Amino acid sequence: MVLSLEQRGSIFLVAVVCLLVVGICAPFSGHDLQRMMQIAIGACAVLYGLSVTRVERLVDRPTALGLMLIIGLGLVSSMRAHQPLWALVEVALFISCGAIAVAFALARRQGGQSLDRALIVFVVLLCLIKSIQYTYAGALAFISAEGRLDPDLLLSGFSNKRFYGQFQTLTLPLLALPLLIPTLSRPLKAAVFALLCVWWLIAVGGGTRGTWLGMGATGVVLAVLGPWGRRWLGWQLAAMLGGLLLYWLVFKVLADYLGIEIANAASDRLTTTLSGRGPIWWQAWHMLVERPLLGFGPMQFADIANSIAAHPHQAILQWASEWGVPSALCVAVLAWRAGWATLGVLRERAQSTEWADLLRLCLFAALVGALVQSMVDGVIVMPNSQVWLALVVGWLMALHVWRTPQTGQLPLAWGAWKTLGLLAVGLLIVIAVRDVPHIARAQQQYLSSHDNMLQPRFWAQGVIAR
Protein backbone atom coordinates (compact mmCIF):
# COMPACT_ATOMS: atom_id res chain seq x y z
CA MET A 1 0.00 0.00 0.00
CA VAL A 2 1.37 3.43 -0.99
CA LEU A 3 0.80 6.11 1.63
CA SER A 4 -0.13 9.63 0.59
CA LEU A 5 2.12 12.56 1.46
CA GLU A 6 -0.38 13.74 4.09
CA GLN A 7 -0.41 10.29 5.71
CA ARG A 8 3.40 10.20 5.79
CA GLY A 9 3.35 13.63 7.42
CA SER A 10 0.92 12.36 10.05
CA ILE A 11 3.18 9.39 10.81
CA PHE A 12 6.13 11.78 11.20
CA LEU A 13 4.19 13.99 13.62
CA VAL A 14 2.96 11.03 15.69
CA ALA A 15 6.55 9.77 15.99
CA VAL A 16 7.72 13.24 17.07
CA VAL A 17 4.96 13.51 19.68
CA CYS A 18 5.89 10.14 21.19
CA LEU A 19 9.59 10.99 21.28
CA LEU A 20 9.00 14.41 22.82
CA VAL A 21 6.70 13.03 25.51
CA VAL A 22 9.30 10.42 26.50
CA GLY A 23 12.18 12.90 26.32
CA ILE A 24 10.45 15.54 28.44
CA CYS A 25 8.02 13.72 30.72
CA ALA A 26 9.84 10.50 31.61
CA PRO A 27 11.15 10.68 35.22
CA PHE A 28 14.46 9.16 34.06
CA SER A 29 14.88 11.68 31.24
CA GLY A 30 17.88 13.96 31.00
CA HIS A 31 20.36 15.47 28.58
CA ASP A 32 21.62 12.24 27.02
CA LEU A 33 18.15 10.76 26.50
CA GLN A 34 16.99 14.05 24.97
CA ARG A 35 19.99 14.03 22.63
CA MET A 36 19.07 10.54 21.47
CA MET A 37 15.46 11.71 21.12
CA GLN A 38 16.69 14.58 18.94
CA ILE A 39 18.70 12.24 16.71
CA ALA A 40 15.66 9.98 16.34
CA ILE A 41 13.46 12.96 15.40
CA GLY A 42 16.11 14.06 12.91
CA ALA A 43 16.09 10.59 11.35
CA CYS A 44 12.28 10.66 11.09
CA ALA A 45 12.45 14.13 9.50
CA VAL A 46 15.00 13.01 6.91
CA LEU A 47 12.99 9.89 6.04
CA TYR A 48 9.87 12.02 5.63
CA GLY A 49 11.82 14.48 3.46
CA LEU A 50 13.13 11.68 1.26
CA SER A 51 9.54 10.71 0.41
CA VAL A 52 8.80 14.21 -0.90
CA THR A 53 9.80 14.67 -4.53
CA ARG A 54 8.65 18.24 -5.15
CA VAL A 55 7.68 21.05 -2.80
CA GLU A 56 6.74 24.69 -3.02
CA ARG A 57 9.49 26.97 -1.83
CA LEU A 58 10.03 27.30 1.88
CA VAL A 59 12.73 30.00 1.77
CA ASP A 60 13.78 32.56 -0.81
CA ARG A 61 16.97 32.35 -2.87
CA PRO A 62 19.13 34.64 -0.64
CA THR A 63 18.22 32.55 2.41
CA ALA A 64 19.04 29.29 0.62
CA LEU A 65 22.40 30.69 -0.54
CA GLY A 66 23.10 31.98 2.97
CA LEU A 67 22.42 28.57 4.50
CA MET A 68 24.71 26.89 1.99
CA LEU A 69 27.41 29.46 2.80
CA ILE A 70 27.06 28.78 6.54
CA ILE A 71 27.31 25.02 6.01
CA GLY A 72 30.27 25.45 3.64
CA LEU A 73 32.13 27.67 6.10
CA GLY A 74 31.32 25.18 8.86
CA LEU A 75 32.81 22.30 6.87
CA VAL A 76 36.00 24.27 6.09
CA SER A 77 36.28 25.33 9.73
CA SER A 78 35.80 21.69 10.81
CA MET A 79 38.68 20.53 8.63
CA ARG A 80 40.98 23.02 10.38
CA ALA A 81 39.75 22.17 13.90
CA HIS A 82 41.78 20.34 16.52
CA GLN A 83 39.12 17.60 16.62
CA PRO A 84 37.55 17.53 13.13
CA LEU A 85 35.13 14.68 13.89
CA TRP A 86 33.43 16.50 16.76
CA ALA A 87 33.35 19.66 14.66
CA LEU A 88 31.59 17.75 11.87
CA VAL A 89 29.13 16.39 14.45
CA GLU A 90 28.19 19.98 15.34
CA VAL A 91 27.67 20.82 11.66
CA ALA A 92 25.56 17.66 11.35
CA LEU A 93 23.44 18.84 14.29
CA PHE A 94 22.85 22.16 12.51
CA ILE A 95 21.79 20.38 9.32
CA SER A 96 19.55 17.93 11.20
CA CYS A 97 17.80 20.83 12.94
CA GLY A 98 17.22 22.32 9.50
CA ALA A 99 15.81 18.98 8.32
CA ILE A 100 13.45 18.90 11.33
CA ALA A 101 12.27 22.46 10.61
CA VAL A 102 11.66 21.59 6.94
CA ALA A 103 9.74 18.45 7.90
CA PHE A 104 7.47 20.42 10.26
CA ALA A 105 6.88 23.00 7.53
CA LEU A 106 5.98 20.31 4.97
CA ALA A 107 3.70 18.50 7.42
CA ARG A 108 1.87 21.73 8.34
CA ARG A 109 1.35 22.64 4.69
CA GLN A 110 -0.12 19.23 3.99
CA GLY A 111 -2.24 19.03 7.16
CA GLY A 112 -3.56 22.58 7.11
CA GLN A 113 -5.22 24.45 9.96
CA SER A 114 -6.25 21.28 11.80
CA LEU A 115 -2.59 20.77 12.66
CA ASP A 116 -2.45 24.23 14.24
CA ARG A 117 -5.10 23.12 16.70
CA ALA A 118 -3.32 19.80 17.22
CA LEU A 119 -0.07 21.63 18.01
CA ILE A 120 -1.69 23.78 20.71
CA VAL A 121 -3.55 20.81 22.20
CA PHE A 122 -0.21 18.98 22.37
CA VAL A 123 1.50 21.94 24.07
CA VAL A 124 -1.35 22.24 26.58
CA LEU A 125 -1.25 18.52 27.39
CA LEU A 126 2.54 18.52 27.68
CA CYS A 127 2.49 21.48 30.09
CA LEU A 128 -0.37 19.83 31.99
CA ILE A 129 1.64 16.63 32.45
CA LYS A 130 4.67 18.57 33.66
CA SER A 131 2.49 20.64 36.01
CA ILE A 132 0.94 17.51 37.50
CA GLN A 133 4.42 16.03 37.99
CA TYR A 134 5.53 19.22 39.75
CA THR A 135 2.41 19.39 41.93
CA TYR A 136 2.67 15.72 42.88
CA ALA A 137 6.37 16.07 43.76
CA GLY A 138 5.57 19.18 45.78
CA ALA A 139 2.80 17.45 47.75
CA LEU A 140 5.10 14.54 48.58
CA ALA A 141 7.90 16.94 49.55
CA PHE A 142 5.67 18.88 51.95
CA ILE A 143 4.34 15.69 53.52
CA SER A 144 7.78 14.17 54.01
CA ALA A 145 9.83 17.34 54.55
CA GLU A 146 11.95 17.30 57.69
CA GLY A 147 12.21 21.02 58.27
CA ARG A 148 13.77 21.88 54.90
CA LEU A 149 12.60 21.80 51.27
CA ASP A 150 14.44 22.64 48.04
CA PRO A 151 12.06 23.64 45.17
CA ASP A 152 14.76 22.70 42.62
CA LEU A 153 14.20 19.05 43.51
CA LEU A 154 10.60 19.31 42.30
CA LEU A 155 11.73 19.81 38.70
CA SER A 156 11.98 16.56 36.75
CA GLY A 157 12.81 15.47 33.22
CA PHE A 158 15.78 17.79 32.73
CA SER A 159 19.41 17.54 33.81
CA ASN A 160 19.48 21.19 34.87
CA LYS A 161 16.78 23.63 35.91
CA ARG A 162 18.02 26.12 33.29
CA PHE A 163 17.17 23.59 30.58
CA TYR A 164 13.68 23.40 32.07
CA GLY A 165 13.58 27.20 31.92
CA GLN A 166 14.47 27.15 28.22
CA PHE A 167 11.58 24.78 27.58
CA GLN A 168 9.25 27.13 29.46
CA THR A 169 10.44 30.15 27.46
CA LEU A 170 9.44 28.31 24.28
CA THR A 171 6.07 27.08 25.59
CA LEU A 172 4.78 29.96 27.75
CA PRO A 173 3.96 32.06 24.64
CA LEU A 174 2.17 29.15 22.94
CA LEU A 175 0.19 28.25 26.05
CA ALA A 176 -1.52 31.64 25.91
CA LEU A 177 -3.00 31.06 22.44
CA PRO A 178 -6.31 29.46 23.61
CA LEU A 179 -6.92 32.59 25.70
CA LEU A 180 -6.85 34.68 22.50
CA ILE A 181 -9.44 32.59 20.63
CA PRO A 182 -12.72 34.57 20.72
CA THR A 183 -14.91 31.49 20.19
CA LEU A 184 -13.40 29.41 23.01
CA SER A 185 -15.81 28.82 25.90
CA ARG A 186 -15.23 30.51 29.24
CA PRO A 187 -14.74 27.27 31.22
CA LEU A 188 -12.01 26.17 28.82
CA LYS A 189 -10.36 29.58 28.99
CA ALA A 190 -10.47 29.45 32.80
CA ALA A 191 -8.83 26.01 32.77
CA VAL A 192 -6.08 27.13 30.38
CA PHE A 193 -5.48 30.29 32.43
CA ALA A 194 -5.15 28.21 35.60
CA LEU A 195 -2.60 26.01 33.82
CA LEU A 196 -0.72 29.09 32.62
CA CYS A 197 -0.59 30.37 36.23
CA VAL A 198 0.87 27.04 37.39
CA TRP A 199 3.36 27.14 34.51
CA TRP A 200 4.45 30.57 35.70
CA LEU A 201 4.62 29.24 39.28
CA ILE A 202 7.13 26.64 38.07
CA ALA A 203 9.08 29.37 36.23
CA VAL A 204 9.20 31.42 39.43
CA GLY A 205 10.23 28.40 41.51
CA GLY A 206 12.87 27.36 38.98
CA GLY A 207 14.39 30.81 39.14
CA THR A 208 15.87 30.80 35.61
CA ARG A 209 16.66 34.47 35.05
CA GLY A 210 17.08 33.86 31.32
CA THR A 211 13.39 32.95 31.13
CA TRP A 212 12.43 36.22 32.80
CA LEU A 213 14.73 38.14 30.44
CA GLY A 214 13.35 36.38 27.37
CA MET A 215 9.70 36.80 28.37
CA GLY A 216 10.28 40.43 29.36
CA ALA A 217 11.81 41.27 25.98
CA THR A 218 9.01 39.39 24.23
CA GLY A 219 6.41 41.38 26.12
CA VAL A 220 7.98 44.66 24.96
CA VAL A 221 7.98 43.50 21.32
CA LEU A 222 4.40 42.20 21.35
CA ALA A 223 3.12 45.36 23.03
CA VAL A 224 3.67 47.21 19.73
CA LEU A 225 2.19 44.48 17.49
CA GLY A 226 -1.41 45.55 17.61
CA PRO A 227 -4.36 44.71 19.86
CA TRP A 228 -3.79 40.94 19.90
CA GLY A 229 -0.17 41.42 20.90
CA ARG A 230 -1.27 43.62 23.80
CA ARG A 231 -3.97 41.14 24.75
CA TRP A 232 -1.34 38.35 24.75
CA LEU A 233 0.81 40.53 27.03
CA GLY A 234 -2.16 41.18 29.33
CA TRP A 235 -2.86 37.48 29.76
CA GLN A 236 0.83 36.76 30.42
CA LEU A 237 1.08 39.52 33.04
CA ALA A 238 -2.08 38.28 34.76
CA ALA A 239 -0.79 34.68 34.76
CA MET A 240 2.63 35.81 36.00
CA LEU A 241 0.99 37.60 38.94
CA GLY A 242 -1.10 34.48 39.56
CA GLY A 243 2.08 32.37 39.55
CA LEU A 244 3.78 34.75 41.97
CA LEU A 245 0.74 34.59 44.26
CA LEU A 246 0.72 30.79 44.16
CA TYR A 247 4.44 30.70 44.90
CA TRP A 248 3.96 33.01 47.92
CA LEU A 249 1.03 30.98 49.24
CA VAL A 250 2.81 27.62 48.88
CA PHE A 251 6.47 28.34 49.58
CA LYS A 252 5.99 31.15 52.08
CA VAL A 253 2.62 30.98 53.83
CA LEU A 254 2.16 27.18 53.85
CA ALA A 255 5.86 26.51 54.46
CA ASP A 256 5.94 28.90 57.43
CA TYR A 257 2.75 27.37 58.83
CA LEU A 258 4.29 23.88 58.66
CA GLY A 259 7.64 25.09 59.97
CA ILE A 260 9.52 24.19 56.78
CA GLU A 261 12.56 26.16 55.67
CA ILE A 262 12.77 26.79 51.90
CA ALA A 263 16.22 26.39 50.37
CA ASN A 264 17.08 28.14 47.08
CA ALA A 265 14.06 30.40 47.33
CA ALA A 266 13.15 32.53 44.32
CA SER A 267 14.08 35.72 46.18
CA ASP A 268 17.64 34.40 46.60
CA ARG A 269 18.07 34.49 42.80
CA LEU A 270 17.14 38.15 42.37
CA THR A 271 20.74 39.12 41.58
CA THR A 272 22.56 40.81 38.71
CA THR A 273 25.64 38.59 38.86
CA LEU A 274 26.83 36.71 35.77
CA SER A 275 26.87 33.37 37.64
CA GLY A 276 30.32 32.46 36.35
CA ARG A 277 29.67 33.52 32.75
CA GLY A 278 32.36 36.19 32.77
CA PRO A 279 35.36 33.81 32.42
CA ILE A 280 33.74 31.71 29.68
CA TRP A 281 32.70 34.84 27.78
CA TRP A 282 36.30 36.00 27.93
CA GLN A 283 37.46 32.59 26.73
CA ALA A 284 35.13 32.81 23.73
CA TRP A 285 36.23 36.39 23.04
CA HIS A 286 39.92 35.43 23.05
CA MET A 287 39.14 32.52 20.70
CA LEU A 288 37.31 34.93 18.39
CA VAL A 289 40.21 37.42 18.38
CA GLU A 290 42.78 34.69 17.75
CA ARG A 291 40.94 33.11 14.78
CA PRO A 292 38.31 35.56 13.50
CA LEU A 293 37.78 34.14 9.99
CA LEU A 294 37.02 30.46 10.54
CA GLY A 295 37.05 30.19 14.32
CA PHE A 296 38.45 27.27 16.25
CA GLY A 297 35.89 24.92 14.67
CA PRO A 298 32.32 23.96 15.63
CA MET A 299 32.11 22.52 19.18
CA GLN A 300 35.78 23.35 19.80
CA PHE A 301 34.99 25.57 22.79
CA ALA A 302 34.47 22.24 24.56
CA ASP A 303 37.99 21.25 23.50
CA ILE A 304 39.50 23.95 25.74
CA ALA A 305 38.90 22.68 29.24
CA ASN A 306 37.69 25.08 31.94
CA SER A 307 36.04 24.60 35.30
CA ILE A 308 32.69 26.19 34.34
CA ALA A 309 31.10 25.01 31.08
CA ALA A 310 31.64 23.39 27.69
CA HIS A 311 29.89 26.27 25.89
CA PRO A 312 29.99 30.03 26.51
CA HIS A 313 26.28 30.54 27.36
CA GLN A 314 26.12 33.28 24.70
CA ALA A 315 24.95 32.44 21.20
CA ILE A 316 26.81 35.16 19.27
CA LEU A 317 30.11 34.59 21.05
CA GLN A 318 29.73 30.83 20.64
CA TRP A 319 29.08 30.98 16.91
CA ALA A 320 31.76 33.59 16.20
CA SER A 321 34.47 31.86 18.26
CA GLU A 322 33.73 28.39 16.86
CA TRP A 323 32.44 28.97 13.30
CA GLY A 324 34.11 32.33 12.64
CA VAL A 325 32.92 35.95 12.40
CA PRO A 326 31.79 35.75 8.72
CA SER A 327 29.57 32.76 9.54
CA ALA A 328 28.16 34.53 12.61
CA LEU A 329 27.38 37.63 10.52
CA CYS A 330 25.65 35.46 7.93
CA VAL A 331 23.52 33.81 10.64
CA ALA A 332 22.65 37.22 12.07
CA VAL A 333 21.62 38.60 8.67
CA LEU A 334 19.43 35.57 7.91
CA ALA A 335 17.81 35.76 11.36
CA TRP A 336 17.16 39.49 10.89
CA ARG A 337 15.65 39.00 7.41
CA ALA A 338 13.39 36.19 8.60
CA GLY A 339 12.31 38.11 11.68
CA TRP A 340 11.62 41.28 9.69
CA ALA A 341 9.57 39.36 7.11
CA THR A 342 7.50 37.72 9.86
CA LEU A 343 7.08 41.08 11.57
CA GLY A 344 5.71 42.51 8.33
CA VAL A 345 3.06 39.78 8.10
CA LEU A 346 2.14 40.29 11.76
CA ARG A 347 1.62 44.01 11.20
CA GLU A 348 -0.47 43.45 8.09
CA ARG A 349 -2.73 40.99 9.94
CA ALA A 350 -2.72 42.71 13.31
CA GLN A 351 -6.55 42.82 13.42
CA SER A 352 -7.12 39.24 12.24
CA THR A 353 -8.73 36.65 14.52
CA GLU A 354 -7.85 33.67 12.31
CA TRP A 355 -6.19 30.71 14.02
CA ALA A 356 -3.15 30.88 11.76
CA ASP A 357 -2.56 34.58 12.45
CA LEU A 358 -2.92 34.24 16.22
CA LEU A 359 -0.65 31.18 16.17
CA ARG A 360 1.92 33.10 14.12
CA LEU A 361 1.91 35.78 16.82
CA CYS A 362 2.54 33.22 19.58
CA LEU A 363 5.21 31.38 17.58
CA PHE A 364 7.00 34.67 16.94
CA ALA A 365 6.82 35.43 20.67
CA ALA A 366 8.38 32.04 21.47
CA LEU A 367 11.17 32.65 18.95
CA VAL A 368 11.95 36.13 20.27
CA GLY A 369 12.02 34.87 23.87
CA ALA A 370 14.33 31.97 23.01
CA LEU A 371 16.72 34.15 21.00
CA VAL A 372 16.94 36.72 23.80
CA GLN A 373 17.55 33.98 26.35
CA SER A 374 20.29 32.54 24.11
CA MET A 375 22.30 35.69 24.84
CA VAL A 376 22.81 34.47 28.42
CA ASP A 377 22.10 30.74 28.21
CA GLY A 378 22.77 27.66 26.09
CA VAL A 379 19.49 27.63 24.17
CA ILE A 380 21.24 26.77 20.89
CA VAL A 381 23.17 23.93 22.57
CA MET A 382 20.62 21.87 24.51
CA PRO A 383 18.89 19.09 22.51
CA ASN A 384 15.32 19.72 23.63
CA SER A 385 15.65 23.45 23.00
CA GLN A 386 17.11 22.78 19.54
CA VAL A 387 14.12 20.58 18.63
CA TRP A 388 11.60 23.17 19.83
CA LEU A 389 13.42 25.95 18.00
CA ALA A 390 13.24 23.84 14.84
CA LEU A 391 9.51 23.27 15.44
CA VAL A 392 8.84 27.00 15.89
CA VAL A 393 10.91 27.99 12.84
CA GLY A 394 9.38 25.25 10.68
CA TRP A 395 5.83 26.19 11.63
CA LEU A 396 6.53 29.87 10.92
CA MET A 397 7.93 28.89 7.53
CA ALA A 398 4.74 27.01 6.73
CA LEU A 399 2.51 29.90 7.85
CA HIS A 400 4.48 32.60 6.05
CA VAL A 401 2.55 34.68 3.52
CA TRP A 402 4.69 35.33 0.46
CA ARG A 403 4.45 38.67 -1.35
CA THR A 404 5.29 37.03 -4.68
CA PRO A 405 3.76 33.83 -6.14
CA GLN A 406 5.30 30.64 -4.81
CA THR A 407 7.29 28.46 -7.16
CA GLY A 408 8.57 24.90 -6.88
CA GLN A 409 12.00 24.24 -5.46
CA LEU A 410 14.75 23.44 -7.94
CA PRO A 411 14.93 19.62 -8.13
CA LEU A 412 18.73 19.68 -7.95
CA ALA A 413 18.76 21.88 -4.84
CA TRP A 414 16.05 19.80 -3.13
CA GLY A 415 17.95 16.61 -3.95
CA ALA A 416 21.19 18.06 -2.59
CA TRP A 417 19.43 19.11 0.63
CA LYS A 418 17.98 15.62 1.13
CA THR A 419 21.41 14.06 0.56
CA LEU A 420 22.99 16.47 3.04
CA GLY A 421 20.35 15.64 5.65
CA LEU A 422 20.86 11.92 5.16
CA LEU A 423 24.64 12.23 5.63
CA ALA A 424 24.22 14.44 8.70
CA VAL A 425 21.78 12.13 10.49
CA GLY A 426 23.90 9.14 9.50
CA LEU A 427 26.92 10.68 11.23
CA LEU A 428 24.87 11.45 14.36
CA ILE A 429 23.61 7.87 14.50
CA VAL A 430 27.18 6.54 14.15
CA ILE A 431 28.33 8.75 17.05
CA ALA A 432 25.38 7.63 19.20
CA VAL A 433 26.05 3.95 18.49
CA ARG A 434 29.71 4.49 19.31
CA ASP A 435 29.19 6.43 22.55
CA VAL A 436 25.91 5.37 24.17
CA PRO A 437 27.14 1.98 25.48
CA HIS A 438 29.99 3.74 27.32
CA ILE A 439 28.25 6.94 28.49
CA ALA A 440 27.73 5.89 32.12
CA ARG A 441 31.33 4.78 32.58
CA ALA A 442 32.72 7.90 30.88
CA GLN A 443 30.58 10.14 33.08
CA GLN A 444 31.70 8.37 36.23
CA GLN A 445 35.34 8.71 35.27
CA TYR A 446 34.87 12.42 34.57
CA LEU A 447 32.93 13.06 37.80
CA SER A 448 35.58 11.39 39.92
CA SER A 449 38.20 13.91 38.82
CA HIS A 450 36.20 17.09 38.14
CA ASP A 451 34.45 18.11 41.37
CA ASN A 452 31.43 15.89 40.73
CA MET A 453 30.09 18.23 38.01
CA LEU A 454 29.19 17.48 34.39
CA GLN A 455 29.51 20.10 31.66
CA PRO A 456 26.90 19.36 28.95
CA ARG A 457 27.50 19.89 25.25
CA PHE A 458 26.73 17.07 22.81
CA TRP A 459 26.44 14.61 25.70
CA ALA A 460 25.89 15.46 29.36
CA GLN A 461 29.64 15.04 29.78
CA GLY A 462 30.39 17.47 26.99
CA VAL A 463 34.06 18.25 27.46
CA ILE A 464 35.91 16.78 24.46
CA ALA A 465 39.39 17.99 25.46
CA ARG A 466 41.77 15.05 25.59
Side-chain angles (χ1 to χ4, degrees):
M1 184 179 73
V2 179
L3 297 176
S4 67
L5 187 58
E6 186 174 346
Q7 288 172 323
R8 291 194 289 268
S10 299
I11 292 172
F12 163 71
L13 291 174
V14 169
V16 170
V17 166
C18 294
L19 289 166
L20 283 175
V21 168
V22 173
I24 295 172
C25 299
F28 52 83
S29 182
H31 184 94
D32 292 331
L33 179 62
Q34 288 173 356
R35 182 67 74 193
M36 289 184 278
M37 171 267 293
Q38 179 190 20
I39 295 172
I41 291 176
C44 293
V46 168
L47 290 175
Y48 175 46
L50 289 174
S51 69
V52 180
T53 56
R54 184 176 177 82
V55 296
E56 293 179 336
R57 69 172 178 174
L58 294 170
V59 297
D60 58 11
R61 188 177 295 273
T63 301
L65 292 175
L67 288 171
M68 290 299 104
L69 178 60
I70 291 168
I71 294 171
L73 288 172
L75 292 174
V76 175
S77 178
S78 298
M79 293 300 99
R80 295 167 54 88
H82 180 234
Q83 297 201 50
L85 180 58
W86 277 118
L88 288 172
V89 168
E90 187 86 334
V91 177
L93 268 180
F94 175 73
I95 296 171
S96 71
C97 287
I100 294 170
V102 167
F104 277 122
L106 294 175
R108 166 55 180 83
R109 282 189 175 179
Q110 289 296 322
Q113 195 176 82
S114 61
L115 283 186
D116 295 340
R117 294 185 174 89
L119 172 64
I120 297 305
V121 169
F122 172 62
V123 171
V124 169
L125 291 177
L126 202 56
C127 295
L128 178 62
I129 293 171
K130 296 303 297 178
S131 298
I132 291 173
Q133 287 180 333
Y134 186 87
T135 305
Y136 178 70
L140 289 181
F142 270 96
I143 293 172
S144 60
E146 297 180 356
R148 187 177 176 86
L149 188 150
D150 186 350
D152 289 354
L153 301 179
L154 308 183
L155 303 173
S156 64
F158 292 83
S159 303
N160 189 297
K161 63 182 180 181
R162 285 193 296 273
F163 309 160
Y164 202 124
Q166 294 169 18
F167 173 60
Q168 290 196 283
T169 304
L170 285 156
T171 51
L172 276 167
L174 297 174
L175 196 54
L177 176 60
L179 301 174
L180 304 180
I181 305 300
T183 57
L184 197 69
S185 66
R186 286 188 177 183
L188 280 177
K189 282 191 176 182
V192 173
F193 179 71
L195 177 60
L196 188 59
C197 289
V198 174
W199 207 227
W200 268 107
L201 160 67
I202 298 173
V204 173
T208 303
R209 289 176 293 167
T211 296
W212 288 88
L213 177 65
M215 290 300 293
T218 302
V220 172
V221 173
L222 262 67
V224 299
L225 288 182
W228 290 107
R230 288 187 286 275
R231 188 167 298 184
W232 177 94
L233 178 58
W235 280 115
Q236 291 289 357
L237 289 174
M240 180 191 70
L241 292 175
L244 286 169
L245 177 61
L246 286 173
Y247 182 88
W248 178 74
L249 289 173
V250 174
F251 294 103
K252 177 62 178 175
V253 176
L254 180 60
D256 287 349
Y257 177 77
L258 297 175
I260 297 173
E261 178 188 357
I262 301 297
N264 293 318
S267 58
D268 297 338
R269 304 187 188 102
L270 296 177
T271 67
T272 56
T273 63
L274 293 177
S275 300
R277 287 170 176 78
I280 53 178
W281 286 358
W282 274 113
Q283 178 178 318
W285 175 257
H286 289 310
M287 291 168 64
L288 182 160
V289 171
E290 186 174 342
R291 298 185 188 177
L293 291 179
L294 291 171
F296 273 63
M299 209 189 290
Q300 300 305 293
F301 187 94
D303 189 45
I304 304 173
N306 64 70
S307 60
I308 301 173
H311 59 97
H313 289 69
Q314 216 284 345
I316 297 174
L317 281 175
Q318 178 179 322
W319 205 280
S321 63
E322 294 188 341
W323 295 62
V325 174
S327 179
L329 288 174
C330 191
V331 171
V333 169
L334 291 186
W336 177 261
R337 289 183 75 250
W340 190 254
T342 304
L343 202 59
V345 177
L346 288 170
R347 285 173 174 170
E348 288 177 2
R349 297 170 176 262
Q351 305 293 333
S352 174
T353 59
E354 294 293 325
W355 256 90
D357 296 316
L358 295 175
L359 177 59
R360 184 186 295 108
L361 179 77
C362 294
L363 288 167
F364 184 71
L367 186 59
V368 170
L371 291 179
V372 170
Q373 187 172 357
S374 74
M375 297 299 102
V376 294
D377 213 343
V379 176
I380 66 169
V381 173
M382 298 306 129
N384 185 68
S385 301
Q386 289 175 339
V387 171
W388 279 89
L389 276 173
L391 185 153
V392 169
V393 170
W395 225 276
L396 283 172
M397 288 165 59
L399 294 175
H400 187 67
V401 180
W402 292 90
R403 298 182 183 275
T404 57
Q406 290 179 275
T407 57
Q409 295 279 12
L410 295 175
L412 184 61
W414 179 238
W417 172 251
K418 292 194 288 187
T419 302
L420 204 57
L422 189 62
L423 293 173
V425 170
L427 175 59
L428 295 176
I429 292 173
V430 168
I431 294 299
V433 171
R434 183 196 70 178
D435 291 351
V436 168
H438 312 290
I439 280 181
R441 184 178 64 186
Q443 287 185 1
Q444 194 56 47
Q445 289 176 346
Y446 187 84
L447 288 171
S448 63
S449 57
H450 290 81
D451 298 326
N452 204 37
M453 183 185 74
L454 295 175
Q455 299 179 25
R457 186 66 193 253
F458 186 81
W459 299 121
Q461 195 306 90
V463 177
I464 59 175
R466 298 193 181 107

